[in-house]
Amino acid sequence: MTSTAAPGPAGSDPAVLGPRLPSPVQELDDERFARRGLRLLLKRDDLIHPELIGNKWRKLAPNLRAAAGRTVLTFGGAYSNHLRATAAAGRLLGLPTIGVVRGHELAGRPLNPSLARCAADGMRLRFVDRTTYRRKDEPETLTALLGAAGAEDAHVVPEGGSNILAVRGCRALGEELGERADVVALACGTGGTLAGLAAGLAPGRRALGIPVLKGGFLTAGVQRLQEEAFGARRGDWSLDDRFHFGGYARTTPELHAFADDFTDRHGVAVERLYVAKLLYALVVLAGEGAFPRGTTIAAVITGRPFPEPADSHPVG
């Protein structure tokens, strides 16, 4: 299935799409923070662009420029925000896109809402078995995948969009905040946004990552990305692995109730797989006394709600 929308000019710089940069900063009056002497800001990256939302814009824009009109091939799971954003970028800019999807068994099933959106935006979906997917970064496997897709000259973007170009692009997130916040917190998948954000923060500010995948492996990944992008570890950053709620694409009734309550309090629609986990973590950390009185915390809102997986409630 392909989009009926007219394609944009092939190879266009994504700046022609009119991103809202710098993204707005919104202060919230939330008694859970105020009574502990804390200020809570929202860095509204979800308002950068209606389709290329949040950190997806920051990570994809430099890669789209590097593609220079070539096909963009990338990777993701069945509910990947990154795949959806890449597909939307392809439609808007007239670039061919290919999504390599983890799980060969999905090929014979109806597309879920996330993959259906990718297909509607013109992305060619190629389903691979999980063993092949795990080896996708190995040169031989990648060459075979490109050949099978007929895209040997494609610009390859890794899973989650986190490569050197993306990390350098995300540095602007920290630079935009300047000295407005003492702590900048965000939910993390592959760690590329955190790696760039921390490098762009003003001296004396720190970044806090909340991984949405379990496993405790992300520290090494973020450091590796910084070394590749900047030559060394940059900025003051750390991770808190306690708030994954069972892993990626997993939530609980408690998390959904928290997100609904946050929306009722502040009128901000809360995306569940990343943003809800971030905001929940900050409320818990504030209650634990993790932030000294007088601290200003900025929470990066990286996405908007989208239909979640049908099995997104099994944990808890």
Side-chain angles (χ1 to χ4, degrees):
M1 179 166 53
T2 58
S3 172
T4 57
S12 295
D13 189 304
V16 303
L17 302 179
R20 186 180 182 184
L21 291 171
S23 60
V25 176
Q26 175 184 0
E27 182 166 2
L28 297 187
D29 181 9
D30 191 310
E31 55 87 18
R32 295 169 293 188
F33 295 85
R35 68 172 177 258
R36 295 177 172 88
L38 308 173
R39 293 175 64 218
L40 178 64
L41 310 178
L42 303 184
K43 176 63 168 164
R44 297 294 303 271
D45 267 19
D46 57 316
L47 301 179
I48 288 177
H49 188 273
E51 295 188 75
L52 304 184
I53 296 167
N55 60 339
K56 302 308 175 191
W57 174 277
R58 297 185 188 277
K59 294 162 87 172
L60 274 175
N63 276 286
L64 295 169
R65 294 187 188 99
R70 292 176 291 153
T71 296
V72 175
L73 181 143
T74 193
F75 305 86
Y79 285 90
S80 169
N81 294 329
H82 169 67
L83 285 182
R84 288 203 311 275
T86 304
R91 170 174 56 81
L92 292 167
L93 293 172
L95 292 173
T97 59
I98 300 172
V100 179
V101 183
R102 179 180 63 247
H104 189 266
E105 71 279 1
L106 300 173
R109 300 178 185 174
L111 297 179
N112 66 38
S114 187
L115 293 178
R117 176 69 62 82
C118 292
D121 280 342
M123 176 174 274
R124 284 200 287 139
L125 300 174
R126 299 191 61 85
F127 299 90
V128 300
D129 64 84
R130 293 167 190 272
T131 299
T132 299
Y133 192 89
R134 283 194 296 270
R135 300 175 60 186
K136 63 187 180 299
D137 297 325
E138 298 176 7
E140 288 187 8
T141 302
L142 179 58
T143 297
L145 289 170
L146 290 168
E152 289 85 351
D153 65 341
H155 177 73
V156 177
V157 180
E159 182 178 30
S162 292
N163 58 8
I164 292 174
L165 293 173
V167 171
R168 291 174 178 166
C170 289
R171 181 168 50 189
L173 173 57
E175 294 169 346
E176 287 175 20
L177 281 162
E179 298 184 355
R180 298 189 67 171
D182 304 298
V183 178
V184 183
L186 75 163
C188 301
T190 53
T193 306
L194 176 63
L197 160 67
L201 285 178
R205 274 59 185 171
R206 68 182 179 92
L208 171 64
I210 305 298
V212 302
L213 289 79
K214 61 182 178 181
F217 58 87
L218 203 55
T219 297
V222 174
Q223 181 151 333
R224 175 184 56 79
L225 286 168
Q226 287 198 324
E227 289 171 352
E228 292 174 351
F230 309 119
R233 179 169 174 141
R234 292 285 184 88
D236 182 1
W237 58 268
S238 61
L239 296 161
D240 192 322
D241 289 297
R242 296 178 292 159
F243 303 101
H244 54 71
F245 283 84
Y248 183 70
R250 297 300 185 98
T251 61
T252 68
E254 178 188 12
L255 185 66
H256 282 276
F258 169 85
D260 290 339
D261 175 70
F262 195 94
T263 297
D264 291 341
R265 288 171 183 254
H266 302 298
V268 177
V270 177
E271 185 272 338
R272 301 307 207 250
L273 305 186
Y274 286 85
V275 177
K277 296 178 181 182
L278 164 66
L279 296 172
Y280 183 96
L282 290 178
V283 169
V284 171
L285 288 166
E288 293 175 347
F291 307 112
R293 294 186 70 86
T295 298
T296 298
I297 305 161
V300 183
I301 308 302
T302 51
R304 292 197 301 268
F306 189 84
E308 272 98 31
D311 63 347
S312 63
H313 296 257
V315 181

